[in-house]
């Protein structure tokens, strides 16, 4: 599915338009793309796929709806998408790593008696570290010599 998504984004006109709209509304308007229609399309398709995934998660294990299901996949998906910068192949790799983190934390809960909130805290720390790194890579701090600063004014 991920490979088909990558091919769709890189080889079709609609995929190109969706990628351009992902850069921002001004980019789409400059290229004369129907921004509102594309946003509505992505929201509808994304909601439908999320609904199907939720239905499968809630009913596939026992063949019927269950009262207790895992929650928090949406927040993990946001973290995965941000860390992978919305690129299909890095999304697969990042999702695998964060899934391994969740499974590892579940094992650690059983073996080491760590709290259940450890996985989301670790995910948040990873996301904050990546965001901080992006900020510091994008901006630089330059110290000016006070003597030269007065002479330039």
């Amino acid at each position: 599915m991920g490979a088909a998504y990558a091919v769709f984004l890189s080889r079709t006109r609609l995929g190109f338009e969706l990628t351009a709209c992902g850069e921002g509304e001004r980019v789409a308007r400059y290229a004369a793309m129907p921004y509102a229609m594309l946003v509505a399309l992505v929201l509808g398709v994304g909601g439908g796929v999320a609904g199907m995934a939720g239905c499968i998660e809630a009913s596939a294990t026992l063949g019927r709806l269950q009262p207790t299901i895992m929650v928090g996949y949406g927040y993990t998906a946001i973290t995965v998408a941000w860390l992978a910068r919305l690129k299909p192949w890095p999304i697969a790799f990042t999702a695998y790593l964060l899934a391994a983190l969740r499974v590892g934390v579940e094992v650690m809960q059983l073996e080491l008696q760590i709290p259940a909130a450890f996985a989301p805290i670790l995910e948040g720390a990873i996301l904050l570290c990546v965001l901080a790194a992006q900020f510091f890579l994008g901006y630089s701090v330059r110290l000016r010599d006070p003597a030269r600063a007065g002479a330039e004014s």
Side-chain angles (χ1 to χ4, degrees):
M1 186 68 171
Y5 175 67
V7 169
F8 169 74
L9 282 182
S10 65
R11 303 281 187 223
T12 65
R13 178 179 176 207
L14 181 59
F16 174 76
E17 289 179 347
L18 292 175
T19 304
C21 285
E23 296 296 325
E25 183 178 0
R26 292 179 62 196
V27 173
R29 299 258 186 242
Y30 181 77
M33 294 177 186
Y35 181 76
M37 188 272 303
L38 290 170
V39 168
L41 174 72
V42 168
L43 288 174
V45 170
V49 170
M52 286 190 323
C55 182
I56 291 169
E57 173 68 26
S59 65
T61 307
L62 300 175
R64 60 185 170 81
L65 289 176
Q66 313 174 50
T68 58
I69 59 173
M70 288 288 294
V71 295
Y73 288 135
Y75 297 114
T76 302
I78 292 170
T79 304
V80 166
W82 188 272
L83 292 175
R85 298 179 187 232
L86 301 176
K87 304 287 188 240
W89 299 114
I91 282 177
F93 180 70
T94 307
Y96 180 77
L97 289 178
L98 285 181
L101 173 72
R102 277 193 173 230
V103 170
V105 167
E106 287 176 10
V107 171
M108 289 172 62
Q109 281 178 322
L110 296 174
E111 298 292 327
L112 303 175
Q113 304 298 320
I114 65 167
F118 187 67
I121 291 171
L122 200 54
E123 280 180 25
I126 291 169
L127 182 62
L128 286 176
C129 288
V130 169
L131 288 174
Q134 287 178 353
F135 175 79
F136 287 117
L137 288 174
Y139 295 96
S140 62
V141 176
R142 290 186 299 184
L143 299 176
R144 291 192 289 178
D145 184 19
R148 287 184 52 203
E152 291 175 359
S153 300

